[in-house]
Amino acid sequence: MKKPLSLGVVALGLVAAGVMSGCADSDTGADTQDPKVEFKQNPYPSTYKPLPSETTLITNVTVLDGVGGKIDNGAVLFVDGKISAVGKDIAAPDDAVVIDGAGKWVTPGIIDTHSHLGVYPAPSTQSHADGNEMTSPVTADVWAEHSVWPQDPGFGRALAGGITALQILPGSANLFGGRSVTLKNLPSRTMQDMKFPGAPYGVKMACGENPKRVYGEKGGPMTRMGNVAGYRQAWADAQAYVHSWEKYEREYEAGGNPKPPKRDLNNDTLAGVLNGEIIVHMHCYRADEMTVMMDVMKEFDYQIGSFHHAVEAYKIADKLAENNVCSSMWADWWGFKMEAYDGIRENIPMVHQAGACAVVHSDSDLGIQRLNQEAAKAWSDGKRAGIDIPMADAWQWLSANPAKSLGIFDQTGSLEAGKNADLVIWSDNPFSTYTQAEQVFIDGALAYDRNNPESWPISDFELGQVAEGDIK
Amino acid sequence: MKHFYQLVKATTTASLTLCFASLAFAQNVALVGATVHTLSDTGTLENATVLMADGNIEAVGEDLNVPQNYERIDVTGKVITPGLFGAFTSLGLQEVSSSAGVVDDRVKAHPVSATGAAYDASYAINPDSSLMAITRVEGFTTAASGLSDTDQLFTGQGAVISLANTTSPVLKPRAFVHTRVDNRGAAGNGDSRAALWVALDQVLNEAAGATSADLAVGADWHGLTSKADVKALKSVLAGTTPLLVTANRAADIRQVIALKQRFSSLKLVIVEGLEAWRVASELASAQIPVIINPEYNLPGGFDQMGATLANAARLHEAGVTVAIGMDTHNIRLATQHAGNAVANGLPHEVGLKAVSLNPAIIYGVSDRMGSIESGKMANIVVWSGDPLEVTEAAEQVWINGEPTEMTSRQIKLRDRYLQLNQAKTQPYVRP
């Protein structure tokens, strides 16, 4: 926690709890304190349960451990859903299922920092458009998890591409678009069943063209300077909000009976950023705008976790490294609007080369199905430009760096003993167009098996429809 | 050797103006030692030689002698394909697609056209667009380029264009007319297929029945179409100009096949075709090819519930001609799309044809391009390896026998910023 508030709550989150504790025996007149107002910390808790798993040893595979290690003829053992050993010669425990993976590769599961599955699901009808609360430029009070439709068939498609966890973000219409949620990619019947236990919240912010296009004729902002004024006012208001609660806490602890400040859901989220509990994910394309935003970050003393899209990150890769801000990027998308005009194929390797944190993201229900190919393109484009990054290091873009930027690297994102057994067995080298994810494990349980069509998950939406259970 | 101008003129109506200008006098070149995917009956050749002379392919073979007056270029270990063909793009019509002023691939309804058929992309192609070089350096030498939106029944007439560095990019104007009978097409035409199809039938019947007297200047004309539309539709009805039809639902595709029974000369092409695999044998029998994005596998609407990664392979298996490549800024990724179709069952050589020969067949220019055969234009790409593999790249592109400069605005941006600490600020750095 960066700057603990005296409030003593993890997330300024909800409901006055003190009222229930009653005042029956506090008959001491004017000196009586009202019950202290505190908020429920985790009102929409994860109900995720791993699928049943078995002790499993995968042998004879090329292992990329996700943190720079490559092991030829390697092995991975997982027990009780956790990685137990990664190495060359690992003895199979008595009860272990042994998978001979000759010719295959094993990597950590891919983690996508930028998805709108569930909030912009398929079918993409107006009634399903739940990702952008385009009613006001500052809506940090809305939470993407309250829009997620778990029956989006896109989750299952992404699983077949080796995605084991993903961040669902609100859209980029607003300066503050709302809270994100990180999910395990295990298709289920409720959002809570998919919610990644212990993952911190994020908040979506957006630079540039989108807010000014959406609000230019709806009261503003209509310029980039208007955007920045909007962020700054919101942070200033959030600072005042934090101070009002600190004052309440201080006076209460001193024995007074202060009136609690009015709860404000928007400022709850922003206060969570200021106290280091909520991670900023900021849609931002242009180098100059990202640089301004890193100054805003310093002005109000918070940390940006990741710029998203960041198509000009290569122009300021040194500054991104200096400020410890990740960039979540496409391999080669460009030109669909002015702020995407300077996109280049070498963006990702150039950011990596400068020592900054590079992440491959999708922002697409198709792209999320083959992020390994996106990384492969960036890796080979870098190589041709003289940036020779070992494949094993490049895999950080797909698992470790996204896990770090989502605050879940202590649990997943690499093949290291003790971590969740979130991993993929690939038919061959995953830096190839022709390679496919054959088996995907989440917490050691087989969540997808390409060679067993009967086992593929089918969303409610696709049940009983044309081509139910077909190759997808 | 036939000249492209004469050839096309002979096979199209006299109203087609041909603007094929850049037949420059390239030197004679021999590319020696590569694996050559000819995409012709000759198949794939190992350690082969490609001879280019006067802008055309002179010969290709495994045991060719290099004549004395040829520049010999050793490309041992490389892979050669014909120049790739962007099957369905708006290249030259878009620079920046959103919020960036006039974008020529989108037409707001104009009185000259009542149905959208008359709009003509060939007037709007900008050969100086940065997309030309950005696409060309990735192995693409030709594209079909058309409008993306008119809010009318038809999406205008598109052109076949060269991606060469040329002042005359249009190879074949009015090379196709496009319409939509998918959900989006219905949305713009009465919000229902029940209106859309009646309108389409009515308009085609009107065009079929119109006489030159009806269309004379000053003659009264009452109909759903404008006179300019009728002109465009006459050549569609004659089968001279292919009619591309975006359709996804199997039932919609069956309606397209039925349309051919009512207007028998129509030369139809299905675009997008997410459920085309369900109608594959009917499409094969009707000789209707498809242009698809084989990666699309989601039920994005109720007219594409059957979308699957197996679409391309199943269509090919049934005997349908498959072209791959639907994009503009990133039409260069059609190789990856084709690669993923191959990963899902399409034969590799068909994957290559889907981005070169098959679009050339669809647009009626395969006698001059799309494969490596004696007499065809010398549009040749030398690759570092398998073109459908995401880690390989085009190393040298030849158009009309001329080597193109392998640079682009994106490559210059990259080179400017490869070193961030420089003596002067970046605007002074000339890569």
Side-chain angles (χ1 to χ4, degrees):
Chain A
M1 191 179 295
K2 187 179 154 213
K3 284 191 307 178
L5 278 182
S6 52
L7 283 172
V9 293
V10 172
L12 274 174
L14 300 152
V15 185
V19 289
M20 300 302 291
S21 64
C23 306
D25 55 358
S26 53
D27 253 338
T28 50
D31 290 331
T32 308
Q33 280 189 314
D34 291 332
K36 189 175 170 188
V37 173
E38 289 177 317
F39 301 134
K40 195 167 177 186
Q41 296 178 21
N42 185 16
Y44 308 98
S46 171
T47 51
Y48 168 77
K49 287 199 175 52
L51 298 179
S53 65
E54 298 176 284
T55 295
T56 304
L57 178 66
I58 308 168
T59 61
N60 278 325
V61 285
T62 304
V63 179
L64 300 181
D65 67 12
V67 285
K70 179 174 181 232
I71 308 165
D72 296 320
N73 284 315
V76 178
L77 173 67
F78 45 94
V79 180
D80 294 333
K82 305 283 183 200
I83 306 278
S84 167
V86 180
K88 272 238 175 246
D89 299 301
I90 300 170
D94 286 345
D95 58 339
V97 174
V98 178
I99 300 173
D100 182 351
K104 303 183 199 300
W105 290 48
V106 170
T107 69
I110 297 174
I111 299 168
D112 190 1
T113 59
H114 196 119
S115 173
H116 301 297
L117 290 179
V119 299
Y120 282 113
S124 57
T125 55
Q126 180 57 35
S127 46
H128 269 166
D130 287 319
N132 261 315
E133 183 62 28
M134 282 186 280
T135 52
S136 160
V138 180
T139 60
D141 52 338
V142 305
W143 297 22
E145 66 192 51
H146 300 146
S147 279
V148 168
W149 184 50
Q151 298 299 342
D152 185 348
F155 289 114
R157 307 289 197 277
L159 182 63
I163 299 288
T164 53
L166 68 173
Q167 174 173 238
I168 309 302
L169 288 158
S172 52
N174 297 353
L175 302 177
F176 292 86
R179 285 197 201 196
S180 66
V181 63
T182 297
L183 303 177
K184 298 257 190 187
N185 193 26
L186 188 75
S188 195
R189 63 185 166 143
T190 66
M191 172 278 295
Q192 289 89 336
D193 273 358
M194 299 175 72
K195 204 168 174 180
F196 200 113
Y201 281 106
V203 66
K204 176 72 175 288
M205 294 178 65
C207 292
E209 288 188 28
N210 291 7
K212 75 189 211 96
R213 187 183 65 245
V214 173
Y215 294 101
E217 289 169 13
K218 288 203 295 187
M222 73 177 294
T223 60
R224 285 180 164 80
M225 59 187 175
N227 287 352
V228 174
Y231 313 126
R232 295 179 74 227
Q233 188 60 58
W235 291 125
D237 291 348
Q239 284 179 331
Y241 184 70
V242 169
H243 291 151
S244 70
W245 277 101
E246 284 172 345
K247 181 164 178 281
Y248 168 77
E249 174 82 9
R250 206 164 48 238
E251 290 175 5
Y252 193 94
E253 292 307 319
N257 191 23
K259 185 168 180 254
K262 182 178 184 304
R263 183 106 189 271
D264 180 294
L265 295 180
N266 182 66
N267 280 323
D268 278 358
T269 296
L270 301 189
V273 173
L274 293 176
N275 69 28
E277 291 155 358
I278 294 179
I279 299 171
V280 172
H281 292 276
M282 186 153 205
H283 160 116
C284 215
Y285 286 76
R286 265 174 27 188
D288 54 309
E289 283 190 278
M290 288 189 271
T291 307
V292 168
M293 288 315 303
M294 289 190 284
D295 278 349
V296 173
M297 161 181 115
K298 289 173 201 162
E299 181 185 6
F300 291 95
D301 197 16
Y302 65 94
Q303 180 65 37
I304 298 170
S306 182
F307 285 120
H308 286 242
H309 312 329
V311 299
E312 292 188 7
Y314 67 96
K315 297 184 183 180
I316 51 157
D318 50 348
K319 296 176 190 297
L320 293 162
E322 238 169 72
N323 286 288
N324 196 27
V325 178
C326 292
S327 302
S328 296
M329 297 166 281
W330 295 294
D332 45 27
W333 287 22
W334 75 285
F336 40 89
K337 48 184 170 172
M338 282 307 302
E339 61 192 8
Y341 194 47
D342 285 5
I344 64 170
R345 278 180 165 273
E346 296 79 6
N347 196 28
I348 292 165
M350 284 168 75
V351 167
H352 178 102
Q353 179 82 341
C357 158
V359 173
V360 175
H361 78 342
S362 79
D363 190 19
S364 159
D365 51 12
L366 297 186
I368 196 173
Q369 299 180 41
R370 47 188 68 84
L371 282 179
N372 58 308
Q373 292 179 22
E374 298 304 294
K377 287 187 285 186
W379 170 79
S380 63
D381 287 322
K383 202 165 166 174
R384 279 186 288 273
I387 305 172
D388 201 354
I389 300 165
M391 218 176 258
D393 280 334
W395 198 274
Q396 292 176 86
W397 309 337
L398 295 167
S399 303
N401 289 351
K404 287 174 187 169
S405 88
L406 297 178
I408 52 175
F409 189 59
D410 57 335
Q411 297 189 62
T412 187
S414 63
L415 302 181
E416 295 176 282
K419 286 212 173 170
N420 296 345
D422 299 337
L423 54 90
V424 182
I425 303 179
W426 301 91
S427 59
D428 204 320
N429 181 344
F431 280 40
S432 162
T433 321
Y434 307 120
T435 295
Q436 294 177 313
E438 279 195 353
Q439 294 190 314
V440 182
F441 294 86
I442 299 179
D443 289 306
L446 185 57
Y448 176 76
D449 185 352
R450 183 170 300 274
N451 297 318
N452 181 9
E454 294 299 310
S455 73
W456 298 342
I458 297 171
S459 87
D460 288 357
F461 179 68
E462 295 192 286
L463 204 61
Q465 303 266 22
V466 164
E468 170 197 326
D470 193 10
I471 292 164
K472 298 293 185 184
Chain B
M1 196 173 302
K2 284 185 194 167
H3 192 284
F4 189 73
Y5 175 85
Q6 295 165 332
L7 188 97
V8 178
K9 188 160 184 179
T11 58
T12 58
T13 65
S15 68
L16 273 185
T17 45
L18 251 287
C19 326
F20 189 73
S22 58
L23 256 186
F25 293 96
Q27 58 193 122
N28 300 341
V29 170
L31 301 172
V32 181
T35 297
V36 179
H37 297 288
T38 68
L39 307 187
S40 71
D41 293 341
T42 314
T44 296
L45 308 175
E46 297 299 335
N47 195 17
T49 296
V50 178
L51 299 181
M52 299 188 274
D54 300 328
N56 290 317
I57 296 162
E58 188 70 23
V60 57
E62 285 177 346
D63 301 305
L64 285 183
N65 290 320
V66 178
Q68 270 203 328
N69 58 334
Y70 279 67
E71 182 193 351
R72 181 192 178 97
I73 300 175
D74 183 4
V75 286
T76 304
K78 308 292 184 188
V79 173
I80 287 179
T81 67
L84 305 187
F85 191 128
F88 194 73
T89 82
S90 297
L91 284 170
L93 301 170
Q94 286 183 9
E95 186 65 32
V96 170
S97 30
S98 152
S99 303
V102 168
V103 183
D104 285 304
D105 74 321
R106 294 193 294 265
V107 177
K108 281 187 192 147
H110 185 281
V112 74
S113 172
T115 65
Y119 305 128
D120 186 346
S122 66
Y123 293 108
I125 301 295
N126 172 19
D128 296 327
S129 163
S130 73
L131 283 78
M132 295 295 193
I134 286 167
T135 308
R136 181 168 70 230
V137 299
E138 305 232 10
F140 287 77
T141 56
T142 314
S145 181
L147 307 178
S148 64
D149 202 1
T150 60
D151 276 338
Q152 288 170 301
L153 187 58
F154 295 97
T155 325
Q157 304 172 83
V160 172
I161 63 170
S162 168
L163 304 187
N165 184 8
T166 172
T167 53
S168 310
V170 177
L171 294 175
K172 186 175 181 181
R174 296 172 289 284
F176 63 96
V177 169
H178 175 234
T179 187
R180 301 174 169 281
V181 300
D182 61 343
N183 272 354
R184 191 170 148 196
N189 292 278
D191 226 4
S192 165
R193 288 163 174 80
L196 169 73
W197 276 99
V198 178
L200 197 55
D201 245 32
Q202 170 74 17
V203 162
L204 291 175
N205 277 316
E206 243 175 63
T211 64
S212 49
D214 292 334
L215 301 174
V217 175
D220 279 345
W221 173 258
H222 305 288
L224 279 179
T225 51
S226 73
K227 288 181 186 175
D229 292 335
V230 171
K231 255 170 91 177
L233 293 173
K234 282 275 189 195
S235 80
V236 169
L237 286 162
T240 315
T241 305
L243 179 63
L244 275 57
V245 186
T246 295
N248 285 317
R249 184 185 288 170
D252 292 342
I253 296 171
R254 286 189 203 104
Q255 291 293 351
V256 176
I257 296 169
L259 185 70
K260 193 168 177 175
Q261 287 155 11
R262 299 198 290 281
F263 300 93
S264 59
S265 297
L266 287 179
K267 203 175 145 197
L268 294 165
V269 180
I270 295 291
V271 178
E272 233 170 274
L274 292 173
E275 291 190 357
W277 63 273
R278 299 178 62 207
V279 203
S281 58
E282 294 95 314
L283 287 169
S285 308
Q287 294 186 298
I288 297 176
V290 298
I291 301 171
I292 61 172
N293 171 359
E295 292 184 359
Y296 201 87
N297 65 342
L298 280 158
F302 286 104
D303 65 348
Q304 51 201 58
M305 297 301 293
T308 168
L309 292 173
N311 198 19
R314 289 173 184 170
L315 284 163
H316 168 73
E317 181 70 28
V320 179
T321 299
V322 176
I324 290 173
M326 303 178 56
D327 201 336
T328 296
H329 286 80
N330 268 343
I331 187 63
R332 58 188 181 170
L333 301 183
T335 48
Q336 184 186 3
H337 298 171
N340 279 298
V342 171
N344 287 282
L346 190 70
H348 182 264
E349 191 187 39
V350 182
L352 289 172
K353 285 181 177 173
V355 291
S356 53
L357 181 62
N358 290 353
I361 291 170
I362 285 170
Y363 294 107
V365 292
S366 59
D367 40 7
R368 292 295 287 132
M369 61 182 80
S371 60
I372 300 178
E373 291 179 84
S374 174
K376 288 198 178 184
M377 287 162 68
N379 292 352
I380 298 287
V381 185
V382 178
W383 302 83
S384 60
D386 177 1
L388 307 187
E389 181 58 88
V390 279
T391 51
E392 304 294 349
E395 293 187 341
Q396 183 60 56
V397 178
W398 304 75
I399 304 184
N400 306 325
E402 289 187 272
T404 67
E405 199 186 350
M406 294 298 286
T407 191
S408 70
R409 182 172 178 275
Q410 292 190 350
I411 291 170
K412 288 192 165 200
L413 277 166
R414 174 194 76 191
D415 290 346
R416 167 172 277 178
Y417 284 94
L418 268 174
Q419 296 300 326
L420 290 175
N421 289 317
Q422 309 211 33
K424 289 184 170 181
T425 54
Q426 262 75 20
Y428 295 95
V429 178
R430 300 278 184 94

